[in-house]
Amino acid sequence: MMTEQLIKVPDIGGAEGAEVVEVLVAPGESIELEQSLVVIESDKASMEIPAPQAGIVGELRVAVGDAVSEGDVILVLASSSDGVDADSAMAPSVADESSTPVTEVPPELLDGTGASESAGQADQQAHSEPSTPEIIDITIPDLGSDQGADLVEILVPVGTAVEEGDSLVLLESDKASMEVPAPASGTVTEWLVEAGTTVKEGTLIARLAVSHAPQSVSPSESALQGMGAESEQAGADREVSQPPSARLDSPEGGQGERLLAQASPTALAQAAGADSAMVYAGPAVRKLAREFGISLSQVKGTGSRGRVLKEDLHRFVAQALASDNTGSAASLPTVPEQDYARFGAIESITRSRIDKVTAANMVRSWLNVPHVTQFDDADISELERFRKDLKPEASQRGVRITPLPFILKACAVALRDHPKLKSSLADNGETLVMKRYCHIGMAVDTPAGLVVPVIRDVDKKSIWDLAAEVAELAEKARDKKLKPDDMQGGVFTVSSLGAVGGRGFTPIVNTPEVAILGVGRAAVQPVWDGEVFRPHTLLPLALSYDHRVVNGGDGGRFLSALTALLADVKRMVM
Ligand code: CAO
């Protein structure tokens, strides 16, 4: 028979007004026994509230951002059982509301009364025992699970004087972190475990020399003193002077792992590294961060009040990997983001994938390649006359004849004679790969960003072929029809901004190529011929190269050969 039960916030160690930071289930969802329902956080602890039994989530009574206290209803759970056996009940309290069945949860779980009684007994015992200095064992209290927990940090070295309630170690399971407090004031004389050990209830972890102590007090008993029926004064004192205590909230023989904990910021500082300490994050996220070796202080939290979520860690790792791919060194100072809206109206536009890939390629080249750029003008007066003569034939052929096919062809010839300019470095700089082919990339400006299709075997193609291919690839690029293959295998790149304008620019080498030619806008200029100034059409060229491979002499010779070829196109067929 299906019954409805109210799942309530259990005793959360006295934390009033803890905030619901994540709701992990949705109405109608089938949940398993112990599946986490919500994550709540107080200023001292983060904890996941598990389901006390399997069932189907009915109504959710809390939302992210709500402040909850012990006894507040989290959700209504429909389950096929008539209730939860008291002995197997987990910490969220399951209680009736009008007609809903009551599920008894041991009082020591729900309201701390039993715990407080125990604590009171321990307290009484402590006060009735003679106070003599002695060595006491520190053992792990009831963790509410047979699976144990990782002891992630020893918080006080041997020889440290501690006050009763000071945190000694930090434990973490998948679901919670907790500190084990000192059961009495004294000095830690010995550690019997190391960080990284898995511990269970009863594991002997340390010895403490105490001056005024009960014969035997486990940390759990001491911790429990802070939880329930202690006197108001004692509670007040504890709030002021004592670090938060650990509270274990599962009955003996309870099923599954169950830790409720309060973790003091101070202890977490020691546990997670000083810079991670003040970061607002739950135990599972802290654990994951440690596994990744990430300092949480580096991660921007997107959860409520800047809480670091698992997704934030994943994003951080993805970004770190991506930045490795771009070759940007992690140590590079970053440019701080600005709040531009402070200065006026703004609009944020998502960048195209091409823009982002280009940016990454530019950074990689800029950071890896020592660039040198050499400039020269090619006198293309004759070429321009020839080009004009070809225009009627070009229109018959259905192609546009611009200076670019001539420039590509001239580059192919110059590269044949200066093959270093079309080589690539390999083996970490040990080897130079010389290429016997001549595929040249051509930068194309498209609305979606800059792309560089590659024209194969430029050295073997006619000016007409090249003119047709330039037009075809440019169109494909603008229609986003280029295939990955169309953009691979280049040995050298030509970036022509001639049609756009500008006297010249310093192009960035398209790695792993070692050189790139930037072409500016041709202009008619007076050139002194020894007797008079005559008008000549000059084409500004800028050759950028990787100075690890190409030295100034190589670059200069290549550029001279290129300008000579462009000045006298007949030479291209030689
Ligand atoms: N000087 C003067 N005029 C030039 C010229 C130059 N260097 N280059 C081309 N022109 C002229 C052409 O002759 C044509 O005029 P006509 O039709 O009268 O002959 C006109 O400018 C338009 O040319 P085009 O741009 O259509 O053709 P193209 O062959 O010169 O270039 C392409 C093709 C795809 C390379 C070009 O359109 C393009 O996208 N260039 C941009 C490359 C780029 O963005 N580089 C920067 C990369 S780094 O940020």
Side-chain angles (χ1 to χ4, degrees), residues 380 384 387 391 400-405 407 442-446 450 470 474 478 494-500 505 507-508 519-523 539-540:
I380 59 165
E384 281 298 88
R387 194 169 68 88
K391 282 209 166 179
R400 265 188 340 117
I401 189 106
T402 66
L404 189 57
I407 295 168
M442 166 186 81
V444 179
D445 180 32
T446 79
L450 179 69
V470 164
R478 284 167 187 146
V494 174
S495 177
S496 173
L497 279 175
V500 179
F505 61 104
I508 296 176
V519 182
R521 185 169 192 77
L539 179 71

Side-chain angles (χ1 to χ4, degrees), residues 91-103:
S93 57
V94 182
D96 68 332
E97 187 178 72
S98 62
S99 62
T100 55
V102 179
T103 303

Side-chain angles (χ1 to χ4, degrees), residues 257-497:
E257 186 174 44
R258 179 83 179 88
L259 286 173
L260 285 187
Q262 293 174 292
S264 75
T266 320
L268 287 179
Q270 292 162 309
D275 45 345
S276 287
M278 304 317 290
V279 177
Y280 185 28
V285 169
R286 287 184 185 279
K287 187 169 184 226
L288 190 61
R290 266 201 315 283
E291 284 167 4
F292 281 141
I294 295 169
S295 164
L296 278 174
S297 63
Q298 296 174 272
V299 183
K300 185 172 165 24
T302 60
S304 150
R305 289 190 284 133
R307 180 171 182 263
V308 178
L309 309 175
K310 271 190 183 168
E311 296 74 43
D312 297 326
L313 277 184
H314 291 150
R315 197 174 307 117
F316 180 85
V317 171
Q319 278 166 359
L321 289 173
S323 96
D324 269 4
N325 283 340
T326 63
S328 62
S331 56
L332 276 181
T334 52
V335 180
E337 297 244 346
Q338 288 232 23
D339 177 13
Y340 302 102
R342 284 195 300 135
F343 309 114
I346 60 163
E347 182 191 1
S348 296
I349 296 166
T350 306
R351 299 188 76 198
S352 73
R353 196 185 60 81
I354 292 178
D355 278 346
K356 288 190 281 187
V357 170
T358 302
N361 288 341
M362 293 299 124
V363 171
R364 181 164 46 213
S365 179
W366 190 253
L367 291 175
N368 281 291
V369 175
H371 278 76
V372 171
T373 306
Q374 271 179 266
F375 306 91
D376 207 346
D377 287 336
D379 187 338
I380 59 165
S381 310
E382 192 187 310
L383 188 159
E384 281 298 88
R385 278 193 290 275
F386 182 43
R387 194 169 68 88
K388 278 198 184 81
D389 291 347
L390 289 174
K391 282 209 166 179
E393 190 183 341
S395 65
Q396 273 177 8
R397 288 173 177 260
V399 291
R400 265 188 340 117
I401 189 106
T402 66
L404 189 57
F406 295 94
I407 295 168
L408 288 165
K409 190 75 184 173
C411 285
V413 176
L415 287 168
R416 179 196 66 198
D417 297 340
H418 302 85
K420 216 196 242 186
L421 277 284
K422 61 179 175 104
S423 67
S424 285
L425 278 173
D427 297 337
N428 233 349
E430 296 291 316
T431 311
L432 199 59
V433 179
M434 307 301 286
K435 297 153 197 165
R436 301 241 165 91
Y437 51 89
C438 190
H439 311 328
I440 297 181
M442 166 186 81
V444 179
D445 180 32
T446 79
L450 179 69
V451 289
V452 186
V454 173
I455 302 176
R456 310 267 143 191
D457 299 315
V458 176
D459 53 334
K460 295 178 186 144
K461 286 179 178 163
S462 71
I463 297 291
W464 293 121
D465 292 340
L466 291 173
E469 205 165 336
V470 164
E472 184 193 324
L473 285 174
E475 193 182 332
K476 270 192 181 176
R478 284 167 187 146
D479 293 345
K480 297 185 182 166
K481 291 204 173 124
L482 289 174
K483 299 194 182 100
D485 244 17
D486 295 330
M487 292 180 278
Q488 287 172 5
V491 297
F492 182 87
T493 296
V494 174
S495 177
S496 173
L497 279 175

